[in-house]
Amino acid sequence: MVLQGYKVTSAKAANGELVCQNDHVYVSLPWSDRDGTPYNVARIIEFLPPHTTPKKGSRVTPSSETMVRLSLYYRPSDISARNISDFRLLLAAIHTDIQPLSNVRGKCYVRHKDRIDDLLKWKKLPDHFYFHKFFDPYIKREFEVIRTESANNIPPDVKQALMSRYEYLVTEREMVADLTDAFRSCCMCSQWASSQESVRCESCKKHYHMSCVKPPLAGKPAKGYSWVCPPCSFQRHKDVEEHKFLFTQNGSAPSKAKSAAKAKEKAAATDGRPDVSFRGWPWRYFGLYTRAEDALDPEDAIFPRAATRVGQKYQANVPTWEEEQERSGIGHVETEAGPSRHAPVIPIERGHDPDERKHESTIELKSQPSDELNAFMEEVAAMKLAVPSYDVERLNMAIASYTTMGREKALKYMRSTRLSSFRPIIFNDQETATFAAELSRNGGLEVHETAKILNRTPAEVLRFSYIWNNRRLAAENEALRQHQRVNTHHARHTKTLGAPTLGKIRPGSKDDADHSDDEVSMYNASFTSSNKMVCAACSTKISEVWWRCPRTVSGIAMCENCGSNYRKYGVIAFTKSDDSKKAEKKDAALKKGKGEASGTSTPVPPPPPKLPPCAVCRRMEPKPMMARCKTCTFSVHAGCYGIPSQDMGPTWECELCVNARLEENHLEPRCVLCPRDFTAVLTKHKRKPNVDFDLLSALKPTEGRRWAHILCSAWQGEVKYDDPARLKTVEGVMEVAREKWEATCTLCNQIDGAVIRCTDCEAVFHPSCAWLSGYKIGFEFSLAKPGRHQTITVAKFKDSEGVMGPGCWCKGHDLEGRVIYDLHEIDPEQNETALQIYAAAYKPISHDSFATLRKATRLESFLPHTSTIFEQQGENQKKRALPKECEDCGIDVSPIWHEVDDVTEIKEERMDVDGQAQEQGQGQESGTAKKKRKRLVCQLCYFNTKYA
């Protein structure tokens, strides 16, 4: 297969995902055409232009949209009727199909088993598959698939060519050990010794080409027999004669080093690079019936082979035309002296056989191909005649009339034909019954015997057999589509096959005309509201989406989980859901209560509340990662809210409900970074019943025992998380630049909270206001360009790698062609959301200090400096260095130092002058004075002194 080189290399699938070349996708025909079968897993080889003709025999018609060429995978259940427990296992194949882009349902992920590091973890991820075998649908055989780099026992030039073109090799099971073994060469000619052309000496373990052995070997030893080279055989006889032969075991035990080397070679290569492919194929056949030198030719066939293609059966010696004439005796004249080669030769043209039909031509030429003939045949095919356009008699009659009559007369003649003009084969009811009886009695078609009984020619009986068989198969297929069991003598199966026609047995088919999602594969809202929907697999009655049931399941609808699992993985688990079990217990309790003599009945508990979608991302999937607060019914995904796996469970509570019970943070949950107050939580201080949770209901505690929206804290670059996995505790709010607090939001016109700037313009707004206004919010990657003294953190998400930055775009920008990931989009390989990856890479706080000390360090820029105290002395200021320790407690560390007034009493000695001391005021101590001074104390001593 040669790629057509169409310029389109990526496009959007039916579900809106962007698919590219070599992406693995789900693909299927519309529900009514694919007969209810699950999705097929395929790989996109290339995109084709519109109106590309599909493969012959395909049910797909050319479409005006972009077409895709797909490499299909098989499920084990598609090949055999065995039940396969591992429904993530696939079989590769060299089988292509052309489908319109609308039949591509979504992306999935398929890898070879050797390229998966942890297979159990890989299979737990949604939409992930693996393969390690290959199936050929033409020769009906399975093959092993090995990596090209693990094939060692092939010539070096051949291995280099294969590794440059193909990632995998398809081979027989018995050839895997031979190909992965060490490189083997003939000890005589030092060339590569393939297993088909070489033998191994059982004594010296050396390999010989069968042609290098003297005398050469005609064939390899039969199975169960060994071969010994001539030198070893001679030495063996010599040892036996000299009685030196010891009966030991043949061969030697494999060394540990050799086993370790093989284990190292078979180690899984789990790098993320794409598979090497050549002309759209990452694998080719290289097995028992392959010549190694043929792999060097890029035009060599890559398909598996069931037998060798060398020998008289495949290579024919065709004589030339002259040799054929001489061999037939033409041009030779017999004389008395013998045959003469100088007799005149009778010229015979090609296409004429001698001694047959008097040298008449064996080819009957009815017409020469031309554009005029093609136009005439297209016009005849459009006519409505008594027989269909593909009837052979109709085609022959059209060509014959065009050749003999010309265009206009031939058209007039064809319009005047009747049913009898085409010599139809019509059997009456009695002849048809006789034909069917003879077919059953003989166990097959006996043309000549049946023709004698019916008094018809063998040609008429043979042609009627095809007509009769087609009619029977048409009636059988129609019965199968209507869920009617077919059990006749000539029936192919005794059970129903395929899916019935939706318009005949599916209820609600009138509403399918205006439903466009997956081509009537799902019921619309009007049908689900007017009918009681029950899942045919798990018996649940709660589901946001109801899928149509396949024919293999008796029922009408399937819930979202069962329906999607069947379409993606082809598996149906008939396990009762929790709500159906509770309903059964409730019915049993009611029946028991009615039978009691007291007549009292047990009160019926209310039905469980309907599980709402995630309040943050507004989606249901993945359901296993959904958590629901037991107090306020706040439902959210673990990755959207930051919930570790060990915290998941029925007893989980959201942050606000935990705070309402413990009262560790502020009881009025309001974001400190924006003016929005949409906190919908039921607390004992403020209740808001019948609320609708959304993204602004997700709050996390801050270091000041306040609250902040996850959206606001993630989009402020200065804000960090103490625990990024839980998206809390929010720290660094005081480090947000002053300009952000003083700017006016262009959406709410308020100067309250910190704003952010549009990524592509100068507009400023709060993150919460941008989300409420429908602005584009997400993450965009840029190339890492580290500076001389700067370290750049590189993150990876899906197919992008580089510096991951949050962005917000107002509605005036065209974002077509830019790769912007939603903050709750999931990377299937890491199984984390974009917000989780961004928080883990760019939002963590280094835990080399305590939280209180980190907060004190931030406060230094707002409070008086801790290293100097200023004393006012007129217009001048003098700086006085702080002491090394507190004057009260002696501590040398404090977030803030304080100056306090200290009053000390000083005694002064005075002289008595003329007895004046007695005359001074009574009751006062003479010689005592008070002096004020400043002393420095720590924060704790200042607090104790002031509030003691």
Side-chain angles (χ1 to χ4, degrees):
M1 183 196 72
V2 180
L3 300 182
Q4 297 186 5
Y6 189 49
K7 294 182 179 179
V8 176
T9 58
S10 63
K12 287 188 177 181
N15 63 345
E17 290 182 324
L18 183 67
V19 294
C20 308
Q21 287 183 348
N22 292 323
D23 281 351
H24 292 86
V25 295
Y26 294 113
V27 62
S28 68
L29 296 173
W31 178 260
S32 57
D33 295 338
R34 71 174 186 262
D35 294 341
T37 56
Y39 294 156
N40 292 322
V41 179
R43 178 177 56 87
I44 297 179
I45 298 179
E46 61 175 336
F47 292 89
L48 301 175
H51 302 289
T52 301
T53 304
K55 296 181 65 176
K56 185 178 180 181
S58 175
R59 290 184 291 177
V60 179
T61 57
S63 176
S64 59
E65 58 180 322
T66 303
M67 310 288 284
V68 288
R69 189 189 302 277
L70 303 166
S71 171
L72 300 179
Y73 288 84
Y74 288 96
R75 288 189 172 92
S77 57
D78 298 336
I79 301 172
S80 61
R82 302 191 305 268
N83 293 327
I84 305 298
S85 58
D86 190 358
F87 49 85
R88 301 298 183 95
L89 177 63
L90 299 176
L91 297 174
I94 305 181
H95 179 49
T96 62
D97 194 10
I98 297 177
Q99 300 264 1
L101 186 61
S102 59
N103 289 352
V104 177
R105 306 299 175 188
K107 293 178 66 174
C108 59
Y109 305 90
V110 183
R111 279 189 184 178
H112 189 266
K113 186 178 180 181
D114 291 344
R115 297 199 64 183
I116 300 175
D117 186 15
D118 190 351
L119 185 59
L120 294 178
K121 183 179 179 181
W122 177 268
K123 293 193 294 184
K124 289 180 181 179
L125 298 176
D127 305 323
H128 282 59
F129 302 88
Y130 75 100
F131 72 97
H132 61 89
K133 288 189 177 182
F134 181 94
F135 178 74
D136 193 310
Y138 301 100
I139 60 179
K140 307 296 183 183
R141 286 187 58 184
E142 289 188 7
F143 297 86
E144 297 290 331
V145 180
I146 63 174
R147 301 196 67 196
T148 307
E149 63 181 22
S150 65
N152 301 318
N153 190 22
I154 55 177
D157 55 341
V158 175
K159 182 175 180 179
Q160 183 178 1
L162 290 175
M163 288 189 64
S164 63
R165 299 173 189 163
Y166 304 100
E167 183 73 25
Y168 309 102
L169 296 179
V170 178
T171 185
E172 291 83 2
R173 180 182 300 176
E174 57 271 16
M175 285 291 296
V176 173
D178 183 78
L179 289 176
T180 56
D181 198 2
F183 181 77
R184 297 197 303 261
S185 60
C186 177
C187 62
M188 301 294 292
C189 62
S190 301
Q191 298 295 325
W192 175 62
S194 64
S195 60
Q196 297 90 343
E197 301 175 352
S198 64
V199 291
R200 189 186 71 165
C201 176
E202 189 64 26
S203 180
C204 63
K205 309 301 179 183
K206 294 182 179 179
H207 293 268
Y208 293 80
H209 283 130
M210 291 188 293
S211 59
C212 293
V213 180
K214 296 182 180 179
L217 294 178
K220 300 186 69 172
K223 188 176 181 180
Y225 292 86
S226 60
W227 178 81
V228 180
C229 63
C232 292
S233 179
F234 177 77
Q235 185 65 31
R236 190 184 186 97
H237 284 291
K238 186 177 180 181
D239 292 342
V240 170
E241 291 177 358
E242 296 178 359
H243 303 284
K244 295 181 179 180
F245 179 74
L246 298 177
F247 293 94
T248 59
Q249 294 181 353
N250 292 333
S252 59
S255 62
K256 295 183 179 180
K258 188 176 181 180
S259 301
K262 287 187 177 181
K264 186 176 181 180
E265 290 176 0
K266 293 182 179 180
T270 57
D271 51 347
R273 63 176 180 83
D275 294 338
V276 180
S277 60
F278 180 68
R279 294 178 178 176
W281 294 110
W283 46 64
R284 66 149 292 155
Y285 174 73
F286 194 91
L288 191 62
Y289 306 110
T290 302
R291 293 180 69 250
E293 293 77 9
D294 294 342
L296 299 174
D297 184 9
E299 303 296 334
D300 184 52
I302 64 176
F303 305 100
R305 303 162 191 172
T308 180
R309 298 187 180 184
V310 178
Q312 296 181 357
K313 183 178 180 181
Y314 297 97
Q315 281 76 29
N317 296 323
V318 182
T320 62
W321 176 252
E322 291 74 13
E323 292 175 351
E324 188 175 334
Q325 296 299 314
E326 292 181 1
R327 189 178 302 173
S328 60
I330 301 176
H332 296 259
V333 179
E334 295 289 341
T335 60
E336 295 180 358
S340 174
R341 294 184 177 272
H342 300 285
V345 179
I346 303 175
I348 300 178
E349 297 180 0
R350 285 185 176 272
H352 296 262
D353 294 337
D355 300 331
E356 277 193 22
R357 300 172 62 179
K358 297 181 181 180
H359 293 252
E360 294 179 0
S361 175
T362 58
I363 301 176
E364 183 181 356
L365 183 62
K366 292 188 176 182
S367 63
Q368 292 286 349
S370 62
D371 296 337
E372 292 80 5
L373 179 60
N374 293 337
F376 170 77
M377 295 302 296
E378 291 178 358
E379 191 171 352
V380 172
M383 294 181 181
K384 294 183 179 180
L385 302 181
V387 293
S389 59
Y390 52 82
D391 187 78
V392 178
E393 290 293 335
R394 174 175 173 170
L395 297 176
N396 291 338
M397 184 181 297
I399 294 177
S401 59
Y402 176 81
T403 305
T404 56
M405 303 179 185
R407 173 185 172 83
E408 299 300 331
K409 292 184 178 180
L411 291 174
K412 184 177 180 181
Y413 173 74
M414 292 300 297
R415 293 190 183 96
S416 62
T417 55
R418 298 181 179 180
L419 180 61
S420 58
S421 305
F422 301 101
R423 296 181 298 173
I425 305 299
I426 300 175
F427 281 19
N428 54 30
D429 295 341
Q430 183 179 359
E431 290 177 333
T432 303
T434 304
F435 173 83
E438 290 296 319
L439 195 66
S440 302
R441 184 176 64 85
N442 297 326
L445 179 62
E446 294 290 341
V447 178
H448 294 280
E449 294 183 4
T450 308
K452 291 179 181 179
I453 296 175
L454 296 176
N455 196 19
R456 295 269 190 168
T457 62
E460 293 176 339
V461 173
L462 182 61
R463 289 183 60 189
F464 178 75
S465 65
Y466 290 102
I467 298 174
W468 179 84
N469 194 37
N470 289 337
R471 292 174 181 173
R472 180 184 58 82
L473 292 178
E476 179 182 338
N477 289 332
E478 183 62 27
L480 294 177
R481 291 182 179 275
Q482 296 183 9
H483 276 203
Q484 298 177 3
R485 185 174 295 276
V486 179
N487 192 10
T488 60
H489 181 73
H490 299 287
R492 295 169 296 170
H493 302 276
T494 58
K495 61 181 181 180
T496 59
L497 296 176
T501 303
L502 294 177
K504 293 186 178 180
I505 73 163
R506 300 296 190 203
S509 59
K510 295 180 180 180
D511 300 331
D512 296 334
D514 56 349
H515 199 286
S516 59
D517 192 3
D518 199 14
E519 289 83 10
V520 305
S521 182
M522 292 186 293
Y523 290 107
N524 53 22
S526 60
F527 179 78
T528 55
S529 60
S530 59
N531 294 271
K532 294 183 178 179
M533 309 301 291
V534 179
C535 179
C538 65
S539 302
T540 184
K541 299 180 181 179
I542 303 174
S543 180
E544 292 290 334
V545 177
W546 291 99
W547 299 81
R548 292 188 178 274
C549 243
R551 190 215 52 78
T552 54
V553 178
S554 57
I556 297 177
M558 299 175 70
C559 65
E560 183 177 5
N561 189 26
C562 296
S564 60
N565 284 342
Y566 171 74
R567 282 156 176 78
K568 291 181 179 180
Y569 311 117
V571 60
I572 300 177
F574 293 94
T575 305
K576 295 291 184 180
S577 61
D578 294 336
D579 60 321
S580 63
K581 292 179 181 178
K582 292 180 180 178
E584 292 177 358
K585 292 181 181 180
K586 181 184 68 175
D587 295 340
L590 288 176
K591 292 180 181 179
K592 184 178 179 180
K594 291 180 180 179
E596 292 178 354
S598 61
T600 60
S601 60
T602 305
V604 180
K610 188 177 182 180
L611 184 64
C614 176
V616 176
C617 66
R618 313 305 299 176
R619 292 192 294 264
M620 290 293 298
E621 295 295 336
K623 277 187 176 180
M625 303 304 295
M626 183 78 77
R628 181 178 182 178
C629 179
K630 68 176 184 178
T631 304
C632 66
T633 68
F634 177 65
S635 299
V636 69
H637 287 120
C640 298
Y641 194 69
I643 309 173
S645 57
Q646 61 269 19
D647 296 344
M648 297 283 288
T651 60
W652 176 79
E653 284 184 298
C654 65
E655 298 286 348
L656 296 177
C657 291
V658 171
N659 182 67
R661 179 166 45 86
L662 302 179
E663 299 185 359
E664 292 182 350
N665 299 309
H666 203 282
L667 296 179
E668 288 293 335
R670 184 179 184 276
C671 181
V672 298
L673 292 169
C674 75
R676 305 275 73 80
D677 186 14
F678 292 113
T679 54
V681 61
L682 302 178
T683 66
K684 66 179 183 180
H685 295 281
K686 184 177 180 180
R687 296 182 178 272
K688 294 182 179 181
N690 301 324
V691 294
D692 186 16
F693 298 107
D694 56 8
L695 178 61
L696 301 184
S697 302
L699 291 98
K700 292 289 182 177
T702 66
E703 60 181 349
R705 301 191 180 278
R706 294 283 181 169
W707 299 93
H709 292 131
I710 293 179
L711 177 64
C712 297
S713 60
W715 254 249
Q716 294 293 346
E718 298 86 348
V719 176
K720 305 293 182 181
Y721 297 123
D722 182 31
D723 188 357
R726 292 180 169 87
L727 301 178
K728 70 175 190 178
T729 298
V730 180
E731 297 186 12
V733 176
M734 63 187 67
E735 292 185 353
V736 178
R738 181 187 297 269
E739 295 78 10
K740 295 185 178 180
W741 297 102
E742 296 177 350
T744 303
C745 176
T746 58
L747 297 176
C748 66
N749 296 323
Q750 296 186 39
I751 309 177
D752 184 10
V755 299
I756 60 174
R757 190 177 300 276
C758 177
T759 307
D760 292 345
C761 67
E762 299 298 325
V764 293
F765 35 73
H766 298 116
S768 56
C769 296
W771 180 78
L772 291 173
S773 301
Y775 284 8
K776 180 65 177 178
I777 298 177
F779 297 97
E780 190 175 22
F781 282 82
S782 61
L783 296 178
K785 297 180 180 180
R788 181 177 299 177
H789 304 291
Q790 186 180 7
T791 302
I792 300 298
T793 303
V794 177
K796 183 179 180 182
F797 185 80
K798 288 190 174 180
D799 298 333
S800 300
E801 185 173 5
V803 179
M804 187 178 186
C808 185
W809 293 265
C810 53
K811 297 182 179 180
H813 304 290
D814 184 14
L815 303 178
E816 186 69 25
R818 298 174 65 173
V819 181
I820 299 174
Y821 297 103
D822 185 70
L823 67 161
H824 301 119
E825 191 172 348
I826 300 177
D827 185 355
E829 294 185 0
Q830 306 180 52
N831 199 22
E832 291 183 346
T833 63
L835 178 60
Q836 287 179 296
I837 295 176
Y838 173 73
Y842 302 95
K843 288 287 187 178
I845 296 177
S846 59
H847 291 78
D848 55 353
S849 60
F850 295 100
T852 306
L853 186 58
R854 292 196 300 267
K855 184 176 181 180
T857 305
R858 299 188 191 101
L859 287 171
E860 289 183 355
S861 59
F862 303 97
L863 298 176
H865 204 273
T866 61
S867 60
T868 57
I869 294 293
F870 296 95
E871 294 181 351
Q872 299 291 338
Q873 293 183 358
E875 298 179 355
N876 301 325
Q877 290 183 349
K878 293 183 179 181
K879 297 181 180 179
R880 180 164 60 88
L882 288 176
K884 295 183 179 181
E885 59 184 18
C886 177
E887 295 185 15
D888 287 354
C889 64
I891 195 171
D892 58 351
V893 175
S894 176
I896 303 175
W897 294 94
H898 299 272
E899 273 190 334
V900 297
D901 294 332
D902 188 13
V903 180
T904 57
E905 294 181 353
I906 303 174
K907 284 187 177 184
E908 297 181 356
E909 295 183 357
R910 297 182 180 181
M911 296 178 62
D912 295 338
V913 180
D914 298 332
Q916 294 179 359
Q918 288 81 7
E919 297 178 1
Q920 292 180 355
Q922 298 291 331
Q924 295 183 0
E925 295 182 359
S926 62
T928 302
K930 295 183 179 182
K931 183 179 181 180
K932 294 183 179 181
R933 74 180 186 89
K934 300 284 188 180
R935 64 188 179 95
L936 298 176
V937 294
C938 64
Q939 169 68 15
L940 182 60
C941 294
Y942 174 77
F943 181 82
N944 293 335
T945 303
K946 186 175 182 180
Y947 298 100

